Structures are given as C-alpha cells and as structure tokens.
Amino acid sequence: MGAKIIDGQAIANQIQEEVKEKVAARVAAGKPVPGLATVLVGGDPASAMYVKMKQKRCAMVGIESFHVELPADISQEELENKVAELNADPKVHGILVQLPLPKGLDEERVLQAIDIKKDVDGFHPLNIGRLAQKGRTPVFLPATPAGCIELLLRSGVEMEGANAVVLGRSNIVGMPVALLLVERNATVTICHSRTKDLPGVVRQADILIAAVGWPEMVKGDWLKEGVVIIDVGTNKVEADNEKGYKWVGDVDFEAAMKVASLVTPVPRGVGPMTIAMLLQNTLKAAELADG
Ligand code: NDP
C-alpha cells in the first residue's frame, strides 16, 4: 500500500486565503482591522524567528501586528502590566506571548493575565480547562493541536470511533490534541516516556499523532496497515547536503509511506498549520470584539 501525503502547506495556504477574504470583507464593511500583539521576552533567536514569521503572515492576510519586545530580566509585575495594557487596547484583538519565557518568570501567571477573549494561543488555563470538560466550549483552541484536527478534517478522516494514539503529553501539543480527539469521539491512548511496549500500543492506532521530539523514533513495523499519521515532531538532524542539516519528524517517513494510508511530511505538514490557525483565531477575536 502506498500512502498519500497530507499537504499541510497547501491546506494552510487555503485557510490563509479564507482568512484574508474574511478580513477584507469586514474592513470593507467598516469594521476594525483585526490586530495581533506579539510579546517577545528576551532575545532567544528561535523565538524571535517564530514571532517574525507570525507577523509576516499577519501582513499577508491584512491583520495588523503590534510587536512588544521586552528584556529577559523584566520583572513578573512589569510583564503582567504590559499584558494588562494590551488587554485594554481596543486595537489589539489577540495577544500572543511567545513561549518559553526566560527563567524566573511564571508562565502560568502570565497566561492567566491575558484576557480570555484575546487568548488567541488558547493557553489560558480557563480555555484549556474548558477543553477538558464535556460540553464546555473554549473561546480559542491552541493552534498546533487545532491544526492537527483541521488536517484530519480536511483530509476526510473519520475520527468518531477510531483508535487514536497520541505520542506525547505536553501542555502545548500532546494533551490538548488528545482532548480534541476525545471531543471528536475517538478512543484515545496517550503515551509518554514511561509507557510500556510503545510499539505494541502504536500498532493499535488507526490515527497516530506523534509529538515527542525524537527523530524518526516510530519505525515502519510499529504501524498498522492503513494508519493515518500526523507527525508534529520537528527535529533537526545532520545531513549530507549544502546546509549540513535537514528536518525530520518523529516517524520514519519512508517506512510510513509504505504502510500508512495518509501521512504528513516534515516540513510542510503540521508546521504551516500552526500559523494558519493563529490567523483564524485572531480573526475570531476581532469578531468577538464586534459584539
Ligand atoms: P515536549 O518535550 O514538551 O514533550 C515531549 C513529550 O514526549 C513528553 O510528554 C514526553 O514524555 C514524551 N516523550 C519523550 N520521549 C519519549 C519516548 N522515548 N517515548 C514516549 N514518549 C516520549 O515537546 P513538545 O510537545 O513541545 O513538542 C514535541 C515535538 O513537536 C517537538 O519535535 C517539537 O519541535 C514539535 N512541535 C512542532 C510544532 C509545529 O509544528 N508547529 C509546534 C510545537 C511543537 P514525558 O511527559 O513523560 O516527559
């Protein structure tokens, strides 16, 4: 069996186009331009690059960005005051505090300080709490997990009743994606570093979401014939090319292509979806502010 590739880049572009059209329509109707504030604390180059990518995509769809850069030694109080200022700014509809924060800052308190109606990253404890409760609807869903579900939906994958295995239980990917799969009526197994017989558990999966951060950990003989694979893992490994490195997922892609029915590649899989979902959330935040 030869798997089909789920083209995350193409799906993300499609979502971006949808957001762009809706932004243009609301601006033409005299409604405010959606605004996203990005808060970068400290000078971590990877975080700075992610923020730049987000601003660039905002510009492409007509969302205004407001960038706040703060020093790594900022106090907890000053940072929370900055968030409060952004909460009060009517031009800012969404607030994204780039994580991780430098050591010494209390991430949970900062996330809690964000107005829940501006929490476009979906990490406010209230949003996550609602996600974990039956019948409660979060205002926003976290971008990467929501992107995984969107890829499944737009690829026509039936989640109801499927055996879904999630590798990883982090706050930003594994746990929320597992909760979203439960909400879609999948039967979900969450695996982590203490799981026994990982290959045996993975072999039960109709849908596999891999988010561990170990290059090509999942081997071909761990996979059930016809499994659908969403590979969130983004791992930099040495390569015999000009750059000297390449990106690989948590799943052995070549092997998966022989056994699975659908597979996301790395790159051009889940990665582009994260920003696409953030744009969608920012538009939603602006719509919520319309009243
Ligand atoms: P974390 O390091 O926070 O979590 C990794 C999880 O994997 C933990 O729950 C850990 O278990 C589990 N784990 C680690 N080793 C093993 C193992 N040998 N067997 C089983 N489980 C294991 O990572 P993140 O969730 O932040 O990210 C995961 C991957 O996804 C990374 O490659 C990251 O780069 C990528 N990523 C991609 C994004 C995108 O494409 N937009 C966005 C975010 C992340 P335990 O809890 O027991 O420690």
Side-chain angles (χ1 to χ4, degrees):
M1 182 173 193
K4 279 198 189 136
I5 287 179
I6 300 178
D7 187 342
Q9 187 67 61
I11 295 175
N13 289 347
Q14 197 182 327
I15 293 170
Q16 194 171 306
E17 244 353 89
E18 290 163 13
V19 172
K20 189 176 172 182
E21 277 168 26
K22 286 183 187 159
V23 168
R26 61 175 280 121
V27 173
K31 291 179 181 162
V33 175
L36 173 71
T38 48
V39 180
L40 179 66
V41 188
D44 177 61
S47 293
M49 187 188 77
Y50 291 139
V51 166
K52 266 219 175 78
M53 278 162 58
K54 288 167 187 172
Q55 289 168 327
K56 194 173 143 202
R57 291 295 192 90
C58 279
M60 284 167 82
V61 299
I63 291 176
E64 194 172 356
S65 10
F66 304 90
H67 185 50
V68 180
E69 230 169 292
L70 301 167
D73 62 358
I74 192 169
S75 71
Q76 181 79 27
E77 196 189 350
E78 282 172 308
L79 178 53
E80 285 179 30
N81 286 344
K82 193 70 214 173
V83 170
E85 249 175 59
L86 296 170
N87 281 341
D89 187 339
K91 284 204 289 204
V92 171
H93 301 102
I95 302 171
L96 179 146
V97 177
Q98 186 66 40
L99 301 178
L101 290 173
K103 278 205 180 82
L105 291 167
D106 184 334
E107 188 176 293
E108 195 182 344
R109 267 177 54 197
V110 174
L111 294 177
Q112 220 155 2
I114 298 173
D115 181 340
I116 190 171
K117 292 196 212 73
K118 297 192 176 189
D119 176 39
V120 287
D121 236 356
F123 293 142
H124 189 293
L126 255 176
N127 268 325
I128 293 288
R130 286 186 188 173
L131 187 60
Q133 290 176 313
K134 199 173 173 191
R136 306 262 160 87
T137 315
V139 187
F140 297 103
L141 298 177
T144 304
C148 295
I149 300 298
E150 198 64 32
L151 286 175
L152 293 171
L153 285 171
R154 293 193 186 220
S155 306
V157 176
E158 179 68 55
M159 284 174 261
E160 182 153 330
N163 277 337
V165 172
V166 178
L167 302 184
R169 57 175 166 182
S170 74
N171 290 338
I172 62 165
V173 191
M175 193 55 81
V177 87
L179 292 168
L180 285 169
L181 286 162
V182 170
E183 195 209 353
R184 296 267 170 191
N185 299 320
T187 303
V188 181
T189 307
I190 304 172
C191 300
H192 44 77
S193 61
R194 317 288 162 85
T195 299
K196 287 185 182 146
D197 184 22
L198 201 56
V201 178
V202 172
R203 250 175 239 126
Q204 306 297 316
D206 303 314
I207 298 172
L208 175 67
I209 315 271
V212 285
W214 277 98
E216 299 175 329
M217 184 181 85
V218 178
K219 306 300 175 203
D221 63 358
W222 295 22
L223 302 170
K224 178 158 107 177
E225 187 87 26
V227 59
V228 174
I229 301 173
I230 305 290
D231 193 348
V232 189
T234 312
N235 311 294
K236 197 176 181 177
V237 295
E238 271 182 32
D240 193 13
N241 60 20
E242 233 170 72
K243 289 184 282 187
Y245 68 86
K246 62 175 181 172
W247 295 97
V248 298
D250 291 343
V251 179
D252 178 342
F253 182 74
E254 296 303 323
M257 285 300 289
K258 293 187 189 125
V259 189
S261 58
L262 289 167
V263 186
T264 59
V266 178
R268 295 181 64 91
V270 176
M273 290 299 287
T274 299
I275 298 186
M277 302 316 285
L278 172 71
L279 299 176
Q280 217 178 48
N281 278 351
T282 306
L283 170 63
K284 183 179 176 188
E287 288 168 352
L288 283 175
D290 292 340

